[in-house]
Amino acid sequence: MDASQLLAAVAQAYESLESLSAAIVCVNESGDEESFNRSEQRSKAYYQKPDKVRMEQGGARGTVYVSDGAFFHNYFSHAKRYSKHPFVRRDFLPGWFRAEHPLVGGIPEFLFHQINDRVVSAEVLPEPTGGVEALLVAYEPSPTSALFSCSPVTYWIDSRTHLVLRAEAEVSHRRPASDETTTHKKIVEIARWESNAALAPDLFEYSPPPGAEDASVPPGRGRISIGGGGGGALVHPDKSKSMESWHHSEWIGDTLVEQLKLRLRGLDLIFERRLTFSEDGRELRIVERIAGPEGQTEGEFTIPVRKTTAEIE
């Protein structure tokens, strides 16, 4: 069986599943020999055809993802935040492999129906034995996201069932409105699984704990937060209307410096604001700078923020 036939067999195996339960180990590795970081998270995952999924990620920062066929439910235990979104598309199920950005998200893939979509090249690797086959697969880049990339992906496939046992790749994240990129290796290992077994119906029923904060994100917008800053991307079919932004704030001495980087219509713009209080605290001095590809401009003004005792009387 060549690489394309094996990929087709894997996709068909997942399409034929009535149910699947799995224990997953997700590993992230970054750094080099001098500074190396490794994190590992264990999850439990359940799937019932065609659109019911439950994933429970363990640990102090664990999460619960549930699709009941009508809504997606997400709960983040550390922050006690909850979100609920109407079910739109089957290929956006939690844990569902998406060929346009494989292994990128924080939810480990365990459903590989689309493993043979958007394939640029695939080859069978010779190393594995004992009922396991390995594939190296390269995918087309995502047409809608300029922030993430992950290709090629190495898969280890069970020769009997054609289910994926392990997936591994290097994932790159580019900060919005910037050319700064970080990379790490991601490994998703299906430690054990059971297919086509009966699952309890209430497994896919979910209500958030009392007091959970609603943290739903408006559709069509992506957010990212790293090291004291945050940003996002708004993707539009008309590329001239797509946008990336990154906002960062920090204290430099007694001055609060806010900076917004904006990328739109092929332009990189920087908006910077510096806020400094006068020594008596009565006035706030604001200096603004706007920089573009052809130069920059600055402006300054002062506003009163506190009256003296005499002015109050």
Side-chain angles (χ1 to χ4, degrees), residues 58-79:
R61 296 181 176 272
T63 53
V64 178
Y65 303 90
V66 177
S67 169
D68 59 13
F71 291 93
F72 293 129
H73 309 258
N74 302 338
Y75 177 67
F76 307 92
S77 60
H78 178 72

Side-chain angles (χ1 to χ4, degrees), residues 97-221:
F97 174 86
R98 296 178 60 190
E100 61 267 35
H101 44 70
L103 305 191
V104 165
I107 307 175
E109 289 90 334
F110 78 109
L111 299 169
F112 292 87
H113 302 66
Q114 297 174 316
I115 193 172
N116 62 339
D117 289 355
R118 305 178 63 86
V119 173
V120 174
S121 64
E123 62 176 301
V124 177
L125 301 178
E127 293 86 352
T129 58
V132 178
E133 299 177 81
L135 279 173
L136 181 66
V137 184
Y139 294 94
E140 297 176 9
S142 169
T144 59
S145 176
L147 303 181
F148 309 101
S149 63
C150 181
S151 185
V153 182
T154 304
Y155 301 100
W156 286 260
I157 311 295
D158 183 278
S159 301
R160 180 179 59 86
T161 63
H162 292 137
L163 297 182
V164 175
L165 303 175
R166 178 185 172 102
E168 179 179 318
E170 185 174 88
V171 180
S172 296
H173 295 247
R174 183 176 63 79
R175 195 171 75 174
S178 172
D179 294 321
E180 181 180 338
T181 301
T182 60
T183 61
H184 69 277
K185 178 189 289 185
K186 185 172 182 178
I187 302 167
V188 177
E189 183 174 354
I190 313 300
R192 59 182 181 276
W193 80 90
E194 184 177 11
S195 59
N196 299 325
L199 300 177
D202 61 358
L203 193 63
F204 305 102
E205 298 175 2
Y206 187 77
S207 297
E213 177 188 355
D214 188 353
S216 301
V217 177
R221 298 178 183 269

